[in-house]
Amino acid sequence: ETGVTQTPRHLVMGMTNKKSLKCEQHLGHNAMYWYKQSAKKPLELMFVYNFKEQTENNSVPSRFSPECPNSSHLFLHLHTLQPEDSALYLCASTERGASTDTQYFGPGTRLTVL
Amino acid sequence: AQSVTQPDIHITVSEGASLELRCNYSYGATPYLFWYVQSPGQGLQLLLKYFSGDTLVQGIKGFEAEFKRSQSSFNLRKPSVHWSDAAEYFCAVGAGAGGTSYGKLTFGQGTILTVHP
């Protein structure tokens, strides 16, 4: 595997379910990001992890719970979601977490909440 | 706070025609500017970026962009569009020198490019 991978690619869940999204980067990077991409809205940054430490939480509801066990893996745990949470969730990584770094994106997980 | 505006939600051009996608940003200091492209079912891929120096930057796939500080713009151009360029294009701004945003980018809402044969 190369680059940034995300699993699953598609997920349908009910509002009472608990599920997790997984992101893995094979680039040796030290910073990882979760974004939400909704139709007709700009990408919304959700969380940033730098060297496994959370450095940004962009006022995300607690029903989204991130986890970064090491610099290569990032999870987004989901519980009691709402239909408006349906979106494409993108993971990205950068080498150092610096503003000049290129962000490398995974293909995303398309989430549908029923 | 930084912000990005892409005035055109959807642009249609003929194959072989020239292309310009507009991007205006708001940032109090020197910005770092990026253009990303997203093909259907894919994540975003960097086309080019500007930090400092020459205001005309070259990117991949024959794209270029020009930074104009006086107009707070960073428009993306391509002299001759190919059908494979059909995608969604995103402009983004990051905190410049001295910023402490840990690589936080603010994205525009995107411009969808359709290419007619």
Side-chain angles (χ1 to χ4, degrees), chain A residues 12-28:
Chain A
V12 179
M13 59 186 291
M15 289 191 286
T16 58
N17 290 159
K18 290 184 180 181
K19 296 288 184 183
S20 296
L21 310 184
K22 178 183 176 182
C23 174
E24 183 173 3
Q25 58 93 1
H26 309 268
L27 301 168

Side-chain angles (χ1 to χ4, degrees), chain B residues 49-67:
Chain B
K49 56 187 176 183
Y50 171 79
F51 301 149
S52 64
D54 192 346
T55 56
L56 184 65
V57 293
Q58 303 296 322
I60 62 171
K61 306 184 182 185
F63 286 93
E64 66 178 26
E66 186 171 12
F67 171 58

Side-chain angles (χ1 to χ4, degrees), chain B residues 52-96:
Chain B
S52 64
D54 192 346
T55 56
L56 184 65
V57 293
Q58 303 296 322
I60 62 171
K61 306 184 182 185
F63 286 93
E64 66 178 26
E66 186 171 12
F67 171 58
K68 293 185 177 181
R69 185 187 301 275
S70 62
Q71 297 177 21
S72 297
S73 69
F74 189 56
N75 294 347
L76 182 71
R77 301 194 295 247
K78 186 169 184 177
S80 178
V81 170
H82 188 263
W83 63 267
S84 60
D85 293 324
E88 190 163 13
Y89 292 79
F90 295 91
C91 181
V93 61

Side-chain angles (χ1 to χ4, degrees), chain A residues 45-98:
Chain A
L45 179 65
M46 301 175 71
F47 301 103
V48 181
Y49 278 81
N50 222 324
F51 292 91
K52 302 187 296 178
E53 298 297 320
Q54 186 181 119
T55 54
E56 180 88 19
N57 178 337
N58 199 21
S59 302
V60 180
S62 59
R63 57 186 184 270
F64 295 91
S65 175
E67 178 190 3
C68 188
N70 55 61
S71 293
S72 298
H73 294 86
L74 184 64
F75 295 89
L76 189 62
H77 304 299
L78 316 171
H79 61 99
T80 58
L81 294 191
Q82 304 299 311
E84 60 265 29
D85 296 322
S86 298
L88 182 67
Y89 288 85
L90 292 167
C91 173
S93 70
T94 66
E95 185 177 353
R96 302 163 295 154

Side-chain angles (χ1 to χ4, degrees), chain A residues 29-43:
Chain A
H29 288 174
N30 294 297
M32 297 187 77
Y33 308 73
W34 278 118
Y35 287 91
K36 177 183 179 183
Q37 186 177 28
S38 305
K40 300 182 181 179
K41 291 178 68 176
L43 264 73

